[in-house]
Amino acid sequence: MPRCATLLAATLAAPTSLCFGLSAAEPQELEPVIVTGTRAPEATNRLPAALIVITREEIEHSGATHLVEVLRARAGVEVIDAFGDGSRTLVGLRGFGENAHSNTLILVDGRKLNNPDIGAPDLNAIALQDVERIEIVQGSAGALLGDQAVGGVINIITRAPEADRYTVDLAGGSYAQRNARATAAKRWDGGSLRLSGAHRATDNYRDHNELDHDRFVARVDLGDNFVELDASDERLQTPGALLEPELRADRRQSFADFRNDQARTETVAATAGLHRPLGERWTLHLDANHRETDGTFRLSFRGFPATSDATQDRRVTGISPRVTAALPLAGGSAAITAGLDAQRADYHLLSSIGPQSNDQTVLDAYLQAIVPLGAGFEATAAGRVARVENDLADNFIFPDGGEVNDSEDAAALGIAWRAAQGLRLFARADENFRCAKVDEYFASTFTPGIVILRTQTGRSLEAGADWHDEALRATLLGYQLDLDDELVFDPTQFLNANLEATRRRGALLEGALALGCVEIAASATYIDADVRSGGLEGKAMPLVARQVGRLAASWQPLTALRLRAEVQGTGARAFSGDFDNSLRKLPGYGVLNAGAEYRPGAWHVQLRVNNLLDREYTELGAETFLGEPSYFPSPELNGWLGAGVEF
């Protein structure tokens, strides 16, 4: 037997022999608390869907400095990072490429982070030291969560202080990366206060791509009620895309026309939550939020460098009252959720082509019931009705103003069966919808007063299983997602448009196996996404890889020391915007990352190295309006070293 095979066999046969100084005590498994499936805390996942939970422990051991690094290559999750720093990143589920952020709902403690316009959610606004866990619901959730919950939901749950805690973290690395974070948490009977601040700066891999980001969060919890204030300021230089000859000559350069491009985004948000019992079985939940974003940017086109700044401002206010109940039945407890989702969004853009504005109002009502049927079976039924109203104005399409209104509904039906201890089987059907974003209307036609965009609707069918015990956890899922009138942007016509019918079929597998002080984790995703009718029938959807996979291993030889390595791979895909598949494919890639973590007492030291083999690859490529490919090259070998203390 070759030496490496002998070592692997010995590791699997006697993993405890590699664990020096570790206790042999039996592991203690804590009951999870799941909130995404019912919009209220549940001891276990009762939604008939695949739910992947990334725990606080996994986040700490990952060595990640950014949310994107934690999500990357988890089963079913696609990450497209334009610059490699997380500042301009698309995160999605079910294969939506450049429109991932409009078809995957990103929540923070149940509050929508998605924008009413085509701007992607600001993932830089989420500091990892404040995250308790991440819940990823695979598949459509249109009935429970509404607009944009087409491919799935990613819910980031923040930490509530359990005791007084003070932390300071400093890190530095490649491309002049500098990170500083501090947290102060105070706990008292019935309440807590948490303050956190972070500063992040880097020159980044590309020329003219400096980033400075500051964020401050204050949160007060009083029992089950809370108020949170969040302020951030991001300053980013944007280097633009490179054509193929430029990429070959110098992949780190920025083309001359883009060298004055930049973006500054200042955001202030306030969130409040109230939870109050209504008798023995019913609970009232009230979430309210307001977010103001003031943006200034300069965006050039090749051959037409911008000479002045544009402004883009958002005001988004939402309120979501709902009631939940746990009702005793013969077979167990039924979970009922009923509520309203209301949102008002004011969007204003002032650029060289004049002003654009849209005042959007959304009002939804929904109901979901999870009912035990006995013998380990539970049935889920849900429904939603939605109404959206848009008041639009610009100099071209709506010079005299205009209204675009729509109503949609969605329903869901599913069943789950706990077939054995640790084994759960499930199947469900769910309808979904996505309304056009407030600024998509402004690029849907060049004819004044004419609106050609239709609301995107769809149906999702899926079935799967998950298994969980002390040593092994695994999730297996297969699905089919059919969409009508999928909303896309065609760069060759510079228009937003609807495709007639599209379909995504796929499967995912994710699992982790603990062998003493060694843990092996793997995930594999397969997606077949194509157009089903019309002039583009049979064409692959842009920027969607058929295969995405990850294999990771961690080894804890000492109580305070953990070593890890992972391989991430993504298959070839069509360039963004290449709906007729006329260009050759953007090549697939594989990268090797490694890291180490040392935690002696209250201190911790972390090292992470990305792209250890120094591969040259591109995560994002797009077709230009001239029909040629352009590239946003990804970083080569890079790393960082950080240290911190908690007291």
Side-chain angles (χ1 to χ4, degrees):
M1 183 182 292
R3 171 181 255 176
C4 61
T6 303
L7 178 58
L8 178 60
T11 301
L12 295 177
T16 55
S17 65
L18 301 177
C19 309
F20 307 108
L22 294 183
S23 170
E26 289 293 324
Q28 293 184 352
E29 184 178 340
L30 298 179
E31 282 292 319
V33 177
I34 307 300
V35 301
T36 310
T38 60
R39 301 181 71 168
E42 289 279 352
T44 58
N45 175 29
R46 299 184 66 180
L47 196 68
L51 178 70
I52 294 173
V53 179
I54 304 174
T55 65
R56 178 65 202 170
E57 183 180 36
E58 290 180 86
I59 294 171
E60 291 179 346
H61 293 335
S62 70
T65 60
H66 195 280
L67 179 68
V68 169
E69 293 175 325
V70 176
L71 294 173
R72 184 180 295 277
R74 297 302 295 250
V77 181
E78 304 109 36
V79 173
I80 304 171
D81 192 343
F83 305 137
D85 67 343
S87 62
R88 293 296 181 269
T89 302
L90 305 177
V91 176
L93 301 165
R94 296 283 160 94
F96 282 92
E98 66 240 89
N99 288 321
H101 61 290
S102 297
N103 289 280
T104 299
L105 205 56
I106 308 292
L107 308 176
V108 178
D109 293 326
R111 170 181 58 87
K112 293 184 179 181
L113 196 64
N114 296 57
N115 290 312
D117 56 88
I118 59 174
D122 182 12
L123 300 182
N124 266 338
I126 305 168
L128 278 183
Q129 76 265 30
D130 295 335
V131 177
E132 178 63 29
R133 68 186 183 279
I134 303 169
E135 299 175 4
I136 304 172
V137 178
Q138 298 285 346
S140 170
L144 181 64
L145 291 165
D147 186 25
Q148 302 185 56
V150 179
V153 182
I154 300 174
N155 193 7
I156 297 104
I157 312 298
T158 58
R159 306 177 73 181
E162 297 179 354
D164 293 355
R165 182 171 61 92
Y166 307 92
T167 66
V168 177
D169 291 89
L170 299 173
S174 302
Y175 318 127
Q177 181 181 170
R178 295 93 67 197
N179 293 347
R181 303 181 299 187
T183 300
K186 182 69 176 178
R187 180 79 186 181
W188 63 87
D189 289 342
S192 64
L193 170 67
R194 187 190 75 211
L195 304 174
S196 66
H199 172 73
R200 183 166 170 254
T202 176
D203 291 347
N204 271 323
Y205 172 68
R206 303 265 314 272
D207 295 337
H208 186 66
N209 197 199
E210 293 182 9
L211 168 72
D212 279 279
H213 191 278
D214 297 293
R215 181 173 185 258
F216 175 77
V217 179
R219 174 167 171 147
V220 177
D221 286 82
L222 298 173
D224 293 329
N225 310 311
F226 75 91
V227 176
E228 180 176 287
L229 299 176
D230 189 329
S232 65
D233 184 1
E234 180 190 81
R235 301 163 297 282
L236 176 68
Q237 296 176 337
T238 52
L242 298 176
L243 300 180
E244 197 157 1
E246 298 162 351
L247 184 74
R248 289 197 298 265
D250 180 5
R251 58 187 287 113
R252 299 185 66 172
Q253 69 173 304
S254 175
F255 185 66
D257 288 352
F258 304 127
R259 289 177 186 165
N260 290 317
D261 286 6
Q262 52 78 33
R264 180 169 186 176
T265 307
E266 298 175 278
T267 302
V268 177
T271 308
L274 179 147
H275 305 273
R276 179 165 297 176
L278 300 175
E280 294 184 1
R281 309 203 179 278
W282 292 85
T283 303
L284 171 67
H285 309 263
L286 178 62
D287 295 330
N289 62 85
H290 178 75
R291 173 162 47 103
E292 298 189 359
T293 302
D294 296 322
T296 303
F297 67 92
R298 183 172 297 190
L299 178 64
S300 299
F301 296 92
R302 187 173 290 266
F304 302 92
T307 58
S308 61
D309 291 342
T311 62
Q312 184 181 54
D313 301 327
R314 307 181 188 101
R315 303 290 183 268
V316 182
T317 302
I319 185 168
S320 297
R322 63 190 182 277
V323 291
T324 61
L327 303 179
L329 298 176
S333 176
I336 308 297
T337 305
L340 302 174
D341 289 329
Q343 179 175 280
R344 169 75 177 188
D346 298 328
Y347 171 84
H348 300 275
L349 173 67
L350 180 61
S351 66
S352 58
I353 63 173
Q356 298 175 348
S357 67
N358 187 355
D359 297 334
Q360 183 186 80
T361 302
V362 178
L363 180 61
D364 295 9
Y366 63 92
L367 172 66
Q368 176 177 274
I370 302 176
V371 180
L373 303 177
F377 285 92
E378 283 191 324
T380 298
R384 172 179 290 260
V385 292
R387 172 75 176 175
V388 58
E389 299 178 353
N390 295 280
D391 294 324
L392 305 112
D394 71 346
N395 286 345
F396 299 97
I397 314 302
F398 305 99
D400 300 321
E403 292 187 4
V404 178
N405 304 325
D406 193 18
S407 297
E408 292 295 337
D409 55 68
L413 186 64
I415 191 165
W417 178 36
R418 296 194 178 276
Q421 181 68 31
L423 175 62
R424 194 175 70 105
L425 309 175
F426 54 86
R428 67 169 177 151
D430 195 303
E431 295 178 321
N432 56 75
F433 61 93
R434 175 170 99 77
C435 300
K437 298 293 191 75
V438 295
D439 48 349
E440 285 179 308
Y441 289 112
F442 297 120
S444 62
T445 179
F446 295 119
T447 305
I450 302 298
V451 177
I452 61 173
L453 291 181
R454 299 178 297 276
T455 298
Q456 170 187 308
T457 58
R459 299 150 304 284
S460 175
L461 299 172
E462 58 192 78
D466 52 49
W467 170 267
H468 182 77
D469 62 22
E470 291 183 354
L472 174 67
R473 64 180 187 273
T475 298
L476 174 65
L477 178 68
Y479 63 87
Q480 177 174 299
L481 173 62
D482 289 307
L483 300 179
D484 296 324
D485 298 320
E486 181 170 351
L487 289 158
V488 299
F489 177 72
D490 184 349
T492 61
Q493 301 184 63
F494 213 74
L495 290 174
N496 291 306
N498 294 104
L499 299 176
E500 289 188 25
T502 55
R503 170 173 289 175
R504 287 158 176 83
R505 286 178 172 171
L508 64 87
L509 173 65
E510 173 159 301
L513 177 64
L515 300 167
C517 61
V518 176
E519 181 171 284
I520 300 172
S523 65
T525 304
Y526 172 81
I527 300 176
D528 181 14
D530 58 14
V531 182
R532 302 292 294 173
S533 64
L536 298 173
E537 184 176 356
K539 302 297 185 181
M541 292 297 293
L543 220 58
V544 179
R546 286 198 175 211
Q547 303 91 13
V548 177
R550 169 180 175 259
L551 178 63
S554 67
W555 174 36
Q556 190 176 2
L558 301 172
T559 302
L561 178 64
R562 181 181 294 268
L563 308 175
R564 60 187 172 274
E566 65 176 3
V567 177
Q568 298 176 358
T570 297
R573 55 250 186 259
F575 280 84
S576 175
D578 183 20
F579 290 97
D580 61 1
N581 298 171
S582 60
L583 303 176
R584 67 180 182 278
K585 288 189 175 183
L586 187 65
Y589 60 89
V591 294
L592 172 63
N593 306 321
E597 175 188 33
Y598 183 54
R599 291 183 176 270
W603 290 85
H604 65 266
V605 179
Q606 291 179 308
L607 170 68
R608 182 179 174 110
V609 181
N610 297 317
N611 196 1
L612 191 62
L613 301 181
D614 203 22
R615 301 294 190 191
E616 292 185 354
Y617 68 100
T618 298
E619 212 165 85
L620 174 61
E623 182 179 17
T624 69
F625 70 93
L626 297 176
E628 56 186 333
S630 62
Y631 301 82
F632 291 84
S634 300
E636 297 163 65
L637 172 68
N638 66 92
W640 67 272
L641 177 66
V645 62
E646 179 174 334
F647 51 92

